[in-house]
Amino acid sequence: MVYVLADNIISPLGMSSEENYHAVKSGQTALRQYSDGVMIPETFTASLMSHDQKEGLRMDGTTPFEAMVTASVKRALEETAIDLAHESVVFVLSTTKGNIELLSQDNEHQDDLYLGTSARHIAESVGIQSTPVVVCNACTSGGGAILLASRLLECGLYDYAVVSGAECQSPFIISGFQSLKALSPEACRPFDLERMGLNPGEAAATMVLGRKPLHGGCWAINAGCVRNDAYHISAPSKNGEGAFLALKSITEKEDLESLAFINAHGTATMFNDQMESVAIERAGLGQVPVFGLKGYYGHTMGAAGILETIISMKALDDETVLGTKGFDELGVSGRISLSPHNQHTDKKAFVKMLSGFGGGNVALWATQHQERDEQKPLPSFTVAHHVTISPKGVWIDGRQWGDGGEGPSLLSEIYKKEIGDYPKYHKMDVLSRLGFAASELLLNAEGERMAEAREDRAVVFFNRSSSICADKAYLETIADKENYFPSPSLFVYTLPNIVTGEIAIRNHYHGETSFYVMDQRDEDMMGRVVQASFCDGMTKSILGGWLDYEDDAHFMADIFLYVVN
């Protein structure tokens, strides 16, 4: 259990958590319609920061994304007296695309296209000296960041964590959702019979977490879980398998009588809302009030998990179950309880749900006014097998594989000689093919292929360049306004965590899948994250390590099968 010491939200609805909560409670929405030619050549509805807000946040020498995150972090930290320079403080950033607009520009900020570099700049600007970590798990990133920070603190690896999630919208992102036909031209309607899709949103949100509470009224993050559908990289499981397993994991040891509400992901897309409703009912939570916040903010992606957790905390402090804006008539088959109106509650806990591309699902349990002093034992692990693939060759447990060939053709050789029966491999982006090929070699070395689904194995990767190779390929489809054809098949791979989903689908892994980005390879931090990943009580082995593909001359899979002792 860890405690929320301070928080902040910067969004089109306000510049503090309190301003945002009161705006939501009063029914205000930041969603506006933008006409043809603004970012994409069609009308769309979104929640975007105003010109005046952006100017007020602007900082010389930083990008708008970094300026927004830095402002949110500084405002949250004003409520604390933490020595940020101490090694016991860690910075965790969640985002899906960060400064992606820099990909089409040529200026002095090009290095900030790399998420780890951007995170380091933000950390340094507020005085945090330890190695920052970026959680890049599609739309579950914010929840994953809270969970990672909680584990690092619970295991005694750090005393404090500054967790910030943010997203700035851009033609890159909005055209991608357009290509998937997921955009609604009107304000979204979560869980409603007439829902037509999502609205993009931008915001920054920050939580400061500590191992001990500052006062008796601190919020506590009691439990959290990540589970994969192992079904599809861009469509949720029809029976909500991953979300159900995550809910089941966090609720089985908690007092369900204290549960005030579930804050659902609620994107207002046809399949996400349907999946969530099924998962909630399967978990025996159909009578618990449910609400979604996308009708106020749109889908803020990397910020969503943190922003919506903060709003949920403020609502329960106010003894309120918020209404779901845009909802009128239930349009999902799962029997769940929603209302467009605010309601009173005197209960003290809530659940936050998220889901995203790559099959990931996150569930968090938060409790009001509870204090428990405990530290989880730090797990130890050993390396069972090790695979390296680089432009210079392939090695399995220290022995060279193949004829010593070089370059990207190695992946084709591995597929032909070691796999050969998985045609979907040829549709993957190169980062996914690299990770998939390396994982197949690793699992062949293990020699134990399980036909049934399993929850006890996680897939955890790290890199520097995120999904930059796929990003460049997708950018080519929207760069020419006279030849504009955003490709959905390319867009879905512009998230590095998709490779974890591909491996989960292939091997029926329903355990945790996570992708982290760093400024550079840091073995100590990677080891800490792996150790923390074993802390969920379920994970017994992890397929993970360094996985990066920047171009055909610069790639590396250096992955391991970690086994808990």
Side-chain angles (χ1 to χ4, degrees):
M1 178 181 294
V2 300
Y3 302 92
V4 182
L5 310 183
D7 55 73
N8 171 267
I9 297 172
I10 290 177
S11 84
L13 287 180
M15 308 301 278
S16 71
S17 299
E18 288 71 23
E19 285 181 14
N20 275 270
Y21 171 66
H22 290 301
V24 169
K25 185 182 179 183
S26 66
Q28 296 181 44
T29 179
L31 295 173
R32 302 286 184 270
Q33 194 170 75
Y34 294 86
S35 59
D36 295 357
V38 177
M39 294 199 189
I40 62 171
E42 71 175 38
T43 299
F44 68 98
T45 297
S47 167
L48 305 179
M49 300 290 287
S50 70
H51 174 75
D52 289 345
Q53 286 178 312
K54 291 178 179 178
E55 283 298 303
L57 294 171
R58 189 167 64 86
M59 297 170 56
D60 291 341
T62 67
T63 66
F65 170 80
E66 291 172 11
M68 186 165 62
V69 177
T70 301
S72 180
V73 169
K74 287 183 175 179
R75 293 178 189 209
L77 288 169
E78 288 174 357
E79 303 175 36
T80 71
I82 298 170
D83 179 8
L84 298 174
H86 196 274
E87 62 182 10
S88 64
V89 182
V90 64
F91 178 53
V92 181
L93 176 65
S94 70
T95 187
T96 60
K97 299 312 300 177
N99 293 304
I100 191 61
E101 75 279 0
L102 298 179
L103 189 63
S104 58
Q105 301 175 13
D106 183 16
N107 57 40
E108 71 274 18
H109 296 301
Q110 276 296 301
D111 282 350
D112 288 334
L113 180 62
Y114 294 88
L115 300 179
T117 302
S118 188
R120 177 171 54 79
H121 288 166
I122 296 166
E124 289 175 350
S125 71
V126 299
I128 298 174
Q129 301 300 312
S130 61
T131 299
V133 180
V134 182
V135 182
C136 199
N137 289 332
C139 299
T140 69
S141 297
I146 295 171
L147 182 54
L148 171 64
S150 298
R151 290 172 174 172
L152 291 171
L153 269 57
E154 287 174 335
C155 291
L157 294 168
Y158 296 92
D159 293 332
Y160 301 99
V162 178
V163 186
S164 192
E167 214 70 62
C168 288
Q169 295 298 331
S170 65
F172 187 102
I173 298 171
I174 295 177
S175 66
F177 284 123
Q178 176 195 29
S179 75
L180 297 171
K181 302 189 183 303
L183 289 180
S184 172
E186 302 172 359
C188 65
R189 306 184 65 173
F191 298 99
D192 191 77
L193 185 64
E194 301 296 331
R195 66 189 185 278
M196 294 187 293
L198 62 80
N199 306 132
E202 53 189 8
T206 301
M207 296 169 64
V208 182
L209 303 179
R211 290 177 57 193
K212 296 184 181 296
L214 291 180
H215 51 78
C218 269
W219 272 93
I221 306 298
N222 287 44
C225 183
V226 181
R227 289 291 178 265
N228 199 284
D229 286 333
Y231 174 74
H232 195 277
I233 60 169
S234 60
S237 164
K238 294 179 181 179
N239 65 357
E241 188 67 16
F244 162 71
L245 292 172
L247 285 172
K248 179 183 174 183
S249 175
I250 68 163
T251 58
E252 60 186 4
K253 295 181 181 179
E254 301 294 341
D255 176 17
L256 294 182
E257 291 299 317
S258 69
L259 186 56
F261 56 74
I262 298 170
N263 175 223
H265 194 47
T267 60
T269 54
M270 189 60 65
F271 297 121
N272 175 87
D273 291 8
Q274 167 65 16
M275 176 277 292
E276 280 195 287
S277 75
V278 171
I280 291 168
E281 184 179 15
R282 282 186 67 193
L285 304 173
Q287 301 306 311
V288 178
V290 175
F291 72 88
L293 290 166
K294 301 298 191 292
Y296 304 95
Y297 291 102
H299 194 345
T300 56
M301 299 164 62
I306 301 171
L307 182 156
E308 295 176 6
T309 298
I310 295 171
I311 293 294
S312 296
M313 292 190 304
K314 302 301 179 187
L316 212 47
D317 283 339
D318 194 29
E319 299 185 337
T320 300
V321 180
L322 292 167
T324 300
K325 194 169 188 65
F327 173 76
D328 181 42
E329 182 179 357
L330 194 65
V332 292
S333 67
R335 296 179 182 179
I336 58 175
S337 175
L338 285 107
S339 172
H341 308 296
N342 297 340
Q343 303 171 67
H344 176 265
T345 183
D346 58 4
K347 297 186 177 182
K348 305 299 184 182
F350 70 87
V351 165
K352 173 62 194 150
M353 295 176 65
L354 297 125
S355 60
F357 284 3
N361 298 270
V362 172
L364 300 170
W365 181 289
T367 306
Q368 186 185 44
H369 307 312
Q370 185 176 92
E371 186 170 342
R372 189 166 68 213
D373 188 13
E374 63 178 6
Q375 180 175 320
K376 292 184 178 180
L378 191 61
S380 61
F381 59 88
T382 57
V383 172
H385 298 282
H386 176 205
V387 167
T388 299
I389 304 176
S390 77
K392 296 182 179 180
V394 180
W395 289 265
I396 304 171
D397 291 333
R399 299 185 302 274
Q400 189 165 24
W401 175 93
D403 301 324
E406 296 186 357
S409 62
L410 285 170
L411 299 184
S412 296
E413 291 182 36
I414 294 170
Y415 179 80
K416 293 174 183 176
K417 294 180 180 179
E418 302 286 345
I419 309 170
D421 62 347
Y422 202 71
K424 188 185 176 187
Y425 170 87
H426 300 290
K427 295 183 179 181
M428 298 178 191
D429 72 309
V430 286
L431 178 67
S432 295
R433 280 183 293 198
L434 176 62
F436 189 89
S439 72
E440 289 290 293
L441 294 176
L442 197 69
L443 295 174
N444 288 346
E446 181 188 25
E448 182 182 349
R449 292 283 189 161
M450 297 184 68
E452 68 274 13
R454 59 189 299 185
E455 284 185 72
D456 65 343
R457 175 159 291 173
V459 183
V460 179
F461 288 136
F462 306 81
N463 80 3
R464 176 176 181 266
S465 65
S466 184
S467 54
I468 194 166
C469 195
D471 294 345
K472 291 176 179 178
Y474 176 73
L475 182 64
E476 292 182 6
T477 73
I478 63 171
D480 184 356
K481 300 304 179 185
E482 302 301 320
N483 191 25
Y484 177 85
F485 59 102
S487 167
S489 61
L490 292 177
F491 181 70
V492 296
Y493 284 102
T494 61
L495 296 161
N497 71 297
I498 294 298
V499 62
T500 68
E502 295 283 19
I503 293 169
I505 293 167
R506 165 70 162 175
N507 297 288
H508 312 292
Y509 293 162
H510 287 293
E512 176 168 339
T513 50
S514 294
F515 206 107
Y516 303 106
V517 181
M518 312 171 78
D519 185 34
Q520 59 185 355
R521 184 166 176 169
D522 185 322
E523 297 291 348
D524 178 63
M525 178 57 80
M526 291 167 62
R528 292 180 181 220
V529 172
V530 170
Q531 279 186 305
S533 298
F534 278 118
C535 287
D536 69 352
M538 174 69 76
T539 302
K540 304 303 180 186
S541 62
I542 295 175
L543 192 163
W546 190 259
L547 181 69
D548 209 357
Y549 201 117
E550 186 152 357
D551 56 45
D552 288 348
H554 303 87
F555 62 88
M556 172 66 75
D558 194 27
I559 70 171
F560 305 82
L561 185 60
Y562 304 108
V563 180
V564 70
N565 292 330

